[in-house]
Amino acid sequence: MQHISSVTTLPGRFNTTAQNQRIKVTMLNPRLCLVIGIFSISIFPVLVKWAPVSGITSAFYRMFFGFLLILPYVLITRKFTWPEKSLWLPISLCGLIFATDIAVWNLSIHYSNATQATLLTNLSPVWVGIGTFLFLPDKPAARFWLGTLVALAGMVILIGWEAFSEMQLDKGFGLAILSGMLYATYMLISKTVLNRIDIVSFMTINMAVASIYLFAICLFFDQPVAGFDLSIWFVFLVQGLICQLLGWLTINYAVKQMDAKRVSLSLLSQAIVTGLFAWAFIHEQVTLQMIVGGLIILIGIAITFRKPASRQADR
């Protein structure tokens, strides 16, 4: 993430500064960052259940506190890079798209149910694959489509075939499909943007735009933004620090270093981690069907990460 200034290489021990900087950067393993990011964002649904406020309000404060927490770091360290003019539009679009995705997902739950919305939103890897095939030079391999089919089959098993078979082609269905498309669009645009700007600067602008936009949505839909108990403010703070700041700093780093299709598919494992958090903290039941579905999802993800022997693994 950090740009390394060029230094004069001296013999022996005098070039240790440059070596230490290189080691520091190479220690940021993108797969490990992805795992940390998935665990960080997976606690969000549990925190939403703990805080008895609307999902849109939770989304706003998640973004807003994330922005407030990154701002002192940016100001003190002066790590903010002013983007090129050509980048302002896609960076702002990423903020608007991500915020719209959260709002649309919450509306889809209102018009249908959480199960249907979750399943349809998790079609995002399919949309990422289609978008990559149509617009990017790195076309999806057969391995990706196979892994996606296996992982989606696992998602159907985890949620339950009954919920899948009883879906209705209503407003909630359309909004959930739209949510998955928005999520995929965010992944594809952010991948191209992150190749040209550092992650901290990208996240700062992204969260600022998303916060303003979600605040406007809260006002438009008459959602509460004040008058909460201290415990709820604490939950909002944890959402901003863990779910947004830590979660998406690490996920965006993975997106920058890895293939966006794999990252998108890997995020399906969020359903498994969320289930484990719900079982541990709010005592939701974990069934054998959910365990089997979760294992199949992981198998599907593993298929996409498996490379032919002639190719190197991801950095």
Side-chain angles (χ1 to χ4, degrees), residues 121-192:
T121 299
N122 277 304
L123 291 175
S124 57
V126 178
W127 307 126
V128 171
I130 293 173
T132 303
F133 179 80
L134 293 176
F135 303 111
L136 298 180
D138 184 20
K139 307 302 181 186
R143 231 173 13 263
F144 168 77
W145 296 114
L146 175 61
T148 299
L149 288 174
V150 172
L152 290 177
M155 182 63 67
V156 171
I157 293 172
L158 185 146
I159 292 177
W161 174 253
E162 296 80 9
F164 182 76
S165 61
E166 292 173 3
M167 284 186 182
Q168 298 179 0
L169 300 177
D170 54 11
K171 186 182 293 186
F173 182 96
L175 288 170
I177 290 289
L178 176 60
S179 175
M181 290 182 172
L182 288 168
Y183 197 51
T185 304
Y186 172 82
M187 297 294 293
L188 291 172
I189 296 178
S190 64
K191 173 65 177 177
T192 59

Side-chain angles (χ1 to χ4, degrees), residues 34 38-39 41-42 117-128 144-156 158-159 180 183 187 251 260-275 290 293-302 304-305:
L34 181 58
I38 289 171
F39 271 83
I41 65 175
S42 295
T118 300
L119 179 61
L120 294 174
T121 299
N122 277 304
L123 291 175
S124 57
V126 178
W127 307 126
V128 171
F144 168 77
W145 296 114
L146 175 61
T148 299
L149 288 174
V150 172
L152 290 177
M155 182 63 67
V156 171
L158 185 146
I159 292 177
Y183 197 51
M187 297 294 293
I251 290 173
K261 303 185 297 298
R262 289 181 178 175
V263 174
S264 176
L265 186 60
S266 298
L267 292 176
L268 288 182
S269 61
Q270 179 187 349
I272 305 169
V273 181
T274 296
M290 294 170 65
L295 289 174
I296 294 174
I297 290 173
L298 294 177
I299 290 171
I301 295 171
T304 66
F305 274 90

